[in-house]
C-alpha cells in the first residue's frame, strides 16, 4: 500500500512514534499486552503535555488565558477591506488556493480557475454532472469531486481533463491529494478510498477501501500517514493509511452532522451543527466546545492561534485557541466555504449567493481591483 513515512512520518507537531495499530481493542503484532499498554500510556502523556499550555499559540482549556492576559493581534482587531465578485450563479461550494491561482467549484457543475493578482478567470472546466463538492491540487494535477466520479485535470496551458477515478457509488464529498500524488476520497457511500495517481494524471484504480461509517461521510482531513473523517450521523473516525485500520472513534453529541473538520497538531476542530467540538486525537475525547453560531457551520480554517468558522447564520467568527473564546464576529451572508492565505492576510469566502468575497486585512487596505467575469465563450467541454 503506502510506503512507510510517505506522508511525512507521523502526526503534525511530532512527539509521538507511530506504530501500526490493529483494530481498536487489539494489540500490534510482536508486542505483548503489557508493552502495548505502556506504549499507549506514553503516547497519551505526550498529548496531555502538549495541551497543557507550554505553546503560546494553543493553551489547554484547563489553563486558558483570561481576556486581560491575552494580547489580541491582527486577526482579532485589524479592519478588513473586501469586495464581492460573481463566482458561480447557483452558489460557490468549494475554494482552493495555490500560489497565484484560485480554483472554485459551484452548484453550476463548473470548475473555474482564477488568476489571483490579475483578477481574471483563466479557465472554465466542464464535465461534472453534479455540484462540485471538493477540490485539491498537487504537482500540476487538479482533482475535483461531485458525482461518484473524481475527475483529474492537467493544470498546464490547456487545463484538459486527463483522467477519471471510478469506484465510489455515491457523491464524492471530500478529498485530499498530497505531493506524492496519493489521494484519499470520501463519499456518501460511507467509504474512504485511497488512490495513487500516475504522474501524467491518467485514470487509476483505487488501492484501498476503508469502511466502517454507518452514514454518509461529509468531511475529511489528513496529517502525514493518517486520515480523519466525519459523517452525517456524527461519527469522527481516524484511520492509519499504512495499515488501513481504524485507530480512533469519537462521536458528536446527539449525532450532530460533522460538516467540516480540521486536524491541527493533536486536536481536531469539528463543525458539529452550530458548535465547534475540540477533540483530542490521542484519546478521542472532547476537550472543549465553542458555542456562538446560530445556524449550521459550513467551513473551518485554522491559522494558529486563530480558528475561523463560517456559518449560514450570515457570520464569520474568529476564535482564540489561547483563551478558547470568540474574539471577533464579521458579517457575511450564507457562508459556504472559506480559504486563507495567511502570508498575504487574505481571506476568501464562498457564498450560497454565488459570490466570492475577497477580504484583505489591514487598517490601510485598499479595495481589491474588480474581478473580471469569465466570458461565456469559450467553455471547455472536456467530459
Amino acid at each position: 500500500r503506502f510506503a512507510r513515512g510517505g506522508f511525512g512520518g507521523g502526526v503534525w507537531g511530532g512527539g509521538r512514534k507511530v506504530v501500526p495499530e490493529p483494530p481498536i481493542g487489539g494489540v500490534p503484532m510482536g508486542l505483548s499486552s503489557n508493552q502495548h499498554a505502556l506504549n499507549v500510556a506514553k503516547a497519551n502523556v505526550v498529548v496531555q503535555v502538549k495541551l497543557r499550555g507550554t505553546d503560546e499559540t494553543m493553551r489547554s482549556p484547563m489553563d486558558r488565558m483570561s481576556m486581560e492576559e491575552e494580547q489580541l493581534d491582527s486577526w482579532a482587531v485589524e479592519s478588513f477591506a473586501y469586495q464581492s465578485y460573481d463566482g458561480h450563479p447557483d452558489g460557490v461550494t468549494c475554494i482552493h488556493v495555490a500560489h497565484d491561482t484560485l480554483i472554485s467549484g459551484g452548484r453550476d457543475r463548473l470548475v473555474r480557475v482564477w488568476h489571483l493578482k490579475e483578477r481574471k478567470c483563466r479557465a472554465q472546466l466542464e464535465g461534472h454532472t453534479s455540484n462540485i463538492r471538493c477540490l485539491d491540487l498537487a504537482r500540476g494535477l487538479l482533482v475535483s469531486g461531485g458525482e461518484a466520479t473524481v475527475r483529474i485535470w492537467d493544470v498546464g496551458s490547456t487545463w484538459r481533463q486527463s483522467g477519471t477515478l471510478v469506484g465510489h457509488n455515491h457523491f464524492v464529498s471530500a478529498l485530499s491529494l498530497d505531493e506524492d500524488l496519493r489521494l484519499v476520497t470520501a463519499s456518501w457511500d460511507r467509504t474512504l478510498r485511497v488512490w495513487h495517481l500516475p504522474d501524467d494524471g491518467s485514470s487509476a484504480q483505487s488501492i484501498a477501501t476503508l469502511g466502517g461509517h454507518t452514514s454518509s461521510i461529509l468531511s475529511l482531513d489528513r496529517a502525514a500517514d493518517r486520515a480523519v473523517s466525519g459523517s452525517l450521523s456524527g461519527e469522527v473516525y481516524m484511520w492509519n493509511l499504512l495499515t488501513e485500520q481504524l485507530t480512533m472513534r469519537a462521536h458528536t453529541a446527539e449525532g450532530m452532522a460533522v460538516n467540516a473538520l480540521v486536524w491541527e497538531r493533536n486536536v481536531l476542530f469539528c463543525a458539529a451543527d452550530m458548535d465547534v467540538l475540540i477533540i483530542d486525537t490521542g484519546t478521542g475525547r472532547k476537550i472543549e466546545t465553542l458555542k456562538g453560531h446560530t445556524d449550521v457551520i459550513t467551513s473551518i480554517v485554522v491559522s494558529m492561534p486563530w480558528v475561523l468558522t463560517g456559518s449560514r447564520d450570515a457570520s464569520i467568527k474568529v476564535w482564540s485557541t489561547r483563551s478558547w473564546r470568540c474574539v471577533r464576529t464579521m458579517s457575511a451572508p450564507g457562508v459556504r466555504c472559506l480559504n486563507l492565505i495567511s502570508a498575504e492576510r487574505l481571506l476568501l469566502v464562498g457564498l450560497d449567493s454565488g459570490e466570492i468575497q475577497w477580504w484583505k486585512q489591514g487598517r490601510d487596505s485598499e479595495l481589491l481591483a474588480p474581478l473580471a467575469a469569465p466570458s461565456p465563450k469559450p467553455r471547455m467541454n472536456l467530459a
Side-chain angles (χ1 to χ4, degrees):
R1 304 299 184 185
F2 290 151
R4 186 172 300 277
F7 288 94
V11 178
W12 285 358
R16 293 179 61 185
K17 180 179 179 181
V18 177
V19 297
E21 295 93 343
I24 293 177
V27 177
M29 294 180 62
L31 291 182
S32 68
S33 298
N34 290 338
Q35 288 173 322
H36 178 56
L38 181 60
N39 286 345
V40 170
K42 288 180 178 179
N44 287 338
V45 167
V46 174
V47 172
Q48 297 293 336
V49 170
K50 284 200 165 193
L51 294 177
R52 199 169 288 159
T54 57
D55 190 329
E56 288 304 314
T57 62
M58 183 169 65
R59 290 286 193 97
S60 165
M62 302 299 294
D63 186 31
R64 70 186 69 201
M65 287 184 178
S66 64
M67 295 177 60
E68 295 75 18
E69 183 183 5
E70 184 173 27
Q71 295 182 352
L72 301 180
D73 59 19
S74 57
W75 281 108
V77 298
E78 288 191 7
S79 61
F80 284 86
Y82 75 91
Q83 281 191 344
S84 295
Y85 310 111
D86 293 333
H88 296 264
D90 298 323
V92 180
T93 54
C94 49
I95 294 175
H96 180 82
V97 178
H99 306 295
D100 62 349
T101 300
L102 164 68
I103 304 170
S104 62
R107 293 193 181 96
D108 56 6
R109 306 178 183 180
L110 296 176
V111 176
R112 284 179 172 164
V113 184
W114 312 85
H115 194 288
L116 277 174
K117 294 183 179 179
E118 295 178 2
R119 313 287 185 234
K120 294 180 180 179
C121 182
R122 298 170 55 184
Q124 185 166 277
L125 313 181
E126 291 187 353
H128 279 284
T129 60
S130 179
N131 302 344
I132 312 299
R133 292 177 171 81
C134 46
L135 299 162
D136 208 350
L137 177 68
R139 281 180 49 188
L141 296 179
L142 168 68
V143 288
S144 56
E147 62 277 8
T149 300
V150 175
R151 297 180 184 268
I152 310 171
W153 313 86
D154 184 343
V155 302
S157 58
T158 61
W159 286 91
R160 65 180 180 85
Q161 184 178 324
S162 59
T164 57
L165 302 177
V166 178
H168 288 294
N169 55 37
H170 212 320
F171 297 134
V172 175
S173 53
L175 49 76
S176 176
L177 180 66
D178 72 5
E179 288 299 319
D180 292 322
L181 299 184
R182 288 161 179 158
L183 173 69
V184 180
T185 56
S187 170
W188 286 19
D189 67 10
R190 308 180 184 184
T191 69
L192 301 179
R193 282 184 178 261
V194 184
W195 319 74
H196 195 175
L197 304 187
D199 290 340
D200 62 359
S202 56
S203 301
Q205 299 293 319
S206 65
I207 60 175
T209 301
L210 309 179
H213 279 285
T214 62
S215 62
S216 301
I217 302 175
L218 304 181
S219 52
L220 170 73
D221 200 6
R222 209 165 91 195
D225 54 7
R226 308 295 179 91
V228 62
S229 52
S231 77
L232 179 65
S233 57
E235 300 158 331
V236 180
Y237 288 175
M238 184 179 293
W239 310 85
N240 186 321
L241 298 175
L242 301 177
T243 62
E244 302 174 16
Q245 292 169 343
L246 179 61
T247 62
M248 186 207 77
R249 294 185 180 97
H251 291 81
T252 62
E254 301 178 354
M256 294 182 293
V258 183
N259 293 307
L261 56 80
V262 174
W263 186 348
E264 183 70 23
R265 302 185 188 179
N266 290 318
V267 296
L268 303 176
F269 299 87
C270 302
D273 197 18
M274 297 182 291
D275 301 336
V276 181
L277 301 186
I278 316 301
I279 296 175
D280 183 337
T281 60
T283 64
R285 296 176 181 173
K286 183 187 74 174
I287 58 175
E288 185 59 280
T289 302
L290 305 179
K291 293 180 175 290
H293 283 292
T294 58
D295 205 338
V296 172
I297 298 171
T298 57
S299 186
I300 302 177
V301 291
V302 177
S303 179
M304 302 294 278
W306 309 118
V307 178
L308 283 72
T309 54
S311 169
R312 290 204 169 99
D313 66 4
S315 75
I316 298 171
K317 290 185 178 290
V318 182
W319 311 82
S320 168
T321 58
R322 298 178 298 200
S323 60
W324 298 99
R325 63 187 177 97
C326 179
V327 298
R328 186 174 194 171
T329 300
M330 301 175 286
S331 296
V335 177
R336 181 63 183 84
C337 50
L338 300 173
N339 209 306
L340 185 64
I341 308 176
S342 298
E344 299 183 19
R345 296 186 175 185
L346 183 64
L347 176 66
L348 302 166
V349 185
L351 303 180
D352 284 329
S353 65
E355 295 175 303
I356 299 176
Q357 290 189 345
W358 303 50
W359 297 51
K360 183 69 174 178
Q361 190 182 45
R363 293 186 177 87
D364 300 322
S365 294
E366 296 180 358
L367 289 177
L368 302 171
L371 187 68
S375 171
K377 293 183 179 181
R379 285 188 176 180
M380 304 179 68
N381 192 339
L382 304 172

